[in-house]
Amino acid sequence: LSGDENLRVPVVRGLRFLLSRQQRSGGWDYKCYARNEEPRSDLSITGFCLMALNACRACSERRSNNHGETEGDGGLRVPSRCLEALRAFVESSTTRSGEGLYADAGMGFMRTSTSMTAVNLYARRVLGQSMDTELQQRQTTLILRNLPDFNNAKSWHSDPYQWYYASLALVM
């Protein structure tokens, strides 16, 4: 996004690494799994990976030469198969009521929270879903009913994911 060509090579390497770590279920996790291990995808980690992918997509779309003509993606194109798998993971990480599910296996399996609902809504928005779907309206309602409380910001129960992702999801 900065246009600094010195950053292109490390960013392309980072994108390739990120793409290589996408789980079979379409999300990302804290670790990489061997082929014989059951993979786990974590919605909170996937949200941060989506931010990186979205930045790469933005760089790819804005890359142009001095004459205003597009020169190509410079290696920052996010493959459609990655985005399709990611969409499928986001869909599978949603309850019927619209709550976001923390993980598809292992630690946090099937756990819901307002912060994971906000991550799920944010992901849907970045992936191009319209905000006027019934599901996204339910998610928005869930988030608005459980807004972070500034008076409890220092409490052990305050959730920075909720603050961050609710802000992003509701503004988009």
Side-chain angles (χ1 to χ4, degrees):
L1 289 174
S2 72
D4 185 344
E5 287 300 316
N6 294 319
L7 299 176
R8 181 156 303 281
V9 170
V11 169
V12 169
R13 284 184 187 152
L15 174 60
R16 287 181 184 155
F17 176 81
L18 188 61
L19 293 172
S20 75
R21 298 306 186 248
Q22 187 175 25
Q23 303 298 327
R24 290 187 299 266
S25 60
W28 282 262
D29 195 19
Y30 293 92
K31 70 172 251 177
C32 302
Y33 294 88
R35 293 202 187 279
N36 63 344
E37 286 183 282
E38 187 65 31
R40 172 187 180 274
S41 288
D42 176 306
L43 187 58
S44 65
I45 298 302
T46 299
F48 287 119
C49 292
L50 177 56
M51 286 182 195
L53 295 175
N54 199 41
C56 289
R57 287 169 60 192
C59 288
S60 176
E61 292 167 4
R62 292 183 183 159
R63 184 174 164 84
S64 63
N65 64 22
N66 292 334
H67 307 290
E69 300 165 345
T70 300
E71 291 185 328
D73 61 23
L76 295 175
R77 189 181 69 76
V78 178
S80 60
R81 71 181 182 285
C82 166
L83 297 174
E84 289 164 11
L86 179 52
R87 282 185 188 96
F89 172 69
V90 170
E91 289 298 326
S92 72
S93 298
T94 314
T95 67
R96 286 191 176 154
S97 66
E99 294 174 293
L101 297 169
Y102 178 69
D104 62 1
M107 182 184 77
F109 176 63
M110 300 297 286
R111 189 179 85 205
T112 64
S113 68
T114 304
S115 57
M116 291 303 103
T117 301
V119 174
N120 193 288
L121 179 59
Y122 165 78
R124 289 171 181 281
R125 298 299 298 135
V126 170
L127 292 169
Q129 290 186 10
S130 171
M131 191 66 163
D132 60 6
T133 66
E134 186 179 325
L135 175 68
Q136 289 192 39
Q137 292 301 315
R138 285 194 308 264
Q139 290 180 315
T140 299
T141 299
L142 288 167
I143 293 167
L144 291 174
R145 284 186 188 153
N146 297 290
L147 289 175
D149 181 357
F150 185 75
N151 294 321
N152 294 324
K154 293 183 180 181
S155 163
W156 177 255
H157 300 289
S158 182
D159 186 349
Y161 280 123
Q162 180 184 358
W163 285 72
Y164 185 67
Y165 279 109
S167 299
L168 289 173
L170 296 174
V171 169
M172 294 184 78

